[in-house]
Amino acid sequence: MGTATRSVAQTVREQAAAHLPAIVRDITALVETETSSYDLAALRTGSFHVATLAGRLCGPPARAHRHPGGAHGDMLTLTWAGTAPGRVLVLAHYDTVWPTGTLAAWPVSSGRDGDGREVLTGPGIFDMKAGLVQSLWALRLLQQSGATTPTVTLFLNGDEELGSPVSRPLIEELAVLADAVLVAEPSAGGAVKTGRKGVGFFRVDVVGIEAHAGLDPEAGASAIHAIAEVITQVTRISDLTKGTSINVGLVDGGSGANVAAGHATAVVDIRVQDPAEQDRVDRAFDAITVSDPRVQVTIGHHWNRPPMFPNEASAPLMGVLRGVAHELGYELQEAFVGGASDANFVAGLARPVVCGLGAVGSGPHARTDSSTPTPSPPRSRSWRGRWGASPTGCRRARRDRSPTVAARRVSDAHQPHRGRGGRPSSSSPGWMPMYSARIPTS
């Protein structure tokens, strides 16, 4: 890379450092706008907050569209026209795993780490509100640098923490149109993420027979007792030596302590590193049985995100990032992690993608959630890069053999989405109409 390239990278880094107090204020304001994945009203407020911030920092986009999310948060596509060839897609989600009200007992606070750097903590700051704000600031500073830039589209979704059930089709459509996809998820200790595990969400539904627990205990068939047997078997399916982990994260059931439970449910999170493990896990869940034949158990299989591995299409993009890191005096590291993101969908299409370009910090989904608001010059500079033509290459329900367990499977594959929420066009509403769009509340 030439002298001009190094000058742009260094300028953006210096300007980011100079604007750090303002960046911190914007991060704090976004974290203080709670956006639980399960709170539609909060998500609506949060989406408008982000849209307003984007307009203030980067100017009105050339194209802006709000895609209704129904029972989930709305999706936003904001596109700023470039001054050079190339189309870059930046993915970021504004929802968090933290319930509305968490902020009252855990307000945003600031401290210093052992090296004297500022550290911010608060619900959702690391995953991924700091990275979202940093992405907007990166584009702003790049615009102000006078460097030529490709066309940049920022896609924001409010259902990522739920597996992106509504936004996935639009993400995939946008990814196919982009020359490079950058995902502003948090970094792995400063390393970008080029590999991620695949994810499955399985649901266990158990129907028992209600009866008085004291007067007629033998008449009842407890769904809770049965689901306890299921959970014991489920946890044994995990095989960490193969990179497969299983977590029963939600359990519910029963109507009273003195009633044999008539229903119970559990939601299971499954992570696989080896795609072949999906078949083994499916077979193992199909083989689950319970001791009471009066209880009916149904297990829904849903593989949400495929595993992500470094692909050939992403190699040029990684080359750009490594070059910028070298110019700035450090070696860019990459990591394979157990978490999944929307990058998994893009990699599954064999499109060029790099994830983990967001915040440096720790504690995602934990009370230790924290971030060091360090600017990320490689991300800023990579938007300026020019990529050529798009690179080449991108179970249905059945009854288990056991009479007490039914299995339902939902396939990863689906037809390309062509209906509501499709690709934004030149006729998409402008910046102000997006603000006034009515959002469904159902």
Side-chain angles (χ1 to χ4, degrees), residues 1 9 180-183 191-194 314-334 352-357 376-385 387:
M1 296 189 179
V181 181
L182 308 177
V183 185
V192 296
K193 299 170 180 176
T194 55
S314 299
L317 179 56
M318 278 300 300
V320 171
L321 295 173
R322 288 195 184 96
V324 174
H326 179 73
E327 292 170 9
L328 296 174
Y330 69 96
E331 182 180 352
L332 183 65
Q333 302 293 326
E334 56 185 296
V353 59
V354 174
C355 191
L357 287 163
S376 180
R379 176 182 61 237
S380 307
R381 172 60 184 86
S382 68
W383 288 359
R384 182 177 177 264
W387 293 275

Side-chain angles (χ1 to χ4, degrees), residues 44 48 65-68 74 429 431-440:
R44 174 178 179 172
F48 279 96
H65 192 68
R66 177 178 291 269
H67 309 269
D74 285 355
W431 184 239
M432 293 309 295
M434 186 187 70
Y435 280 133
S436 61
R438 294 188 61 83
I439 301 173

Side-chain angles (χ1 to χ4, degrees), residues 256-322:
N258 59 349
V259 181
H263 69 278
T265 61
V267 180
V268 186
D269 179 289
I270 304 166
R271 307 288 167 132
V272 296
Q273 181 172 329
D274 182 354
E277 276 288 275
Q278 293 182 353
D279 287 337
R280 183 189 69 83
V281 170
D282 278 330
R283 291 194 302 270
F285 269 83
D286 290 347
I288 290 174
T289 60
V290 293
S291 59
D292 193 330
R294 298 173 296 170
V295 173
Q296 179 184 357
V297 180
T298 303
I299 301 178
H301 299 224
H302 175 65
W303 291 105
N304 172 248
R305 289 183 169 101
M308 171 183 172
F309 300 99
N311 60 31
E312 183 179 353
S314 299
L317 179 56
M318 278 300 300
V320 171
L321 295 173
R322 288 195 184 96

Side-chain angles (χ1 to χ4, degrees), residues 242-258:
K242 296 180 179 178
T244 300
S245 62
I246 293 180
N247 179 63
V248 182
L250 294 172
V251 179
D252 188 26
S255 58
N258 59 349

Side-chain angles (χ1 to χ4, degrees), residues 46-60:
S47 70
F48 279 96
H49 180 106
V50 174
T52 301
L53 178 63
R56 175 170 65 81
L57 292 179
C58 305

Side-chain angles (χ1 to χ4, degrees), residues 399-411:
R399 184 69 62 174
D400 188 88
R401 286 185 296 273
S402 166
T404 60
V405 179
R408 291 181 289 109
R409 299 188 179 181
V410 182
S411 173

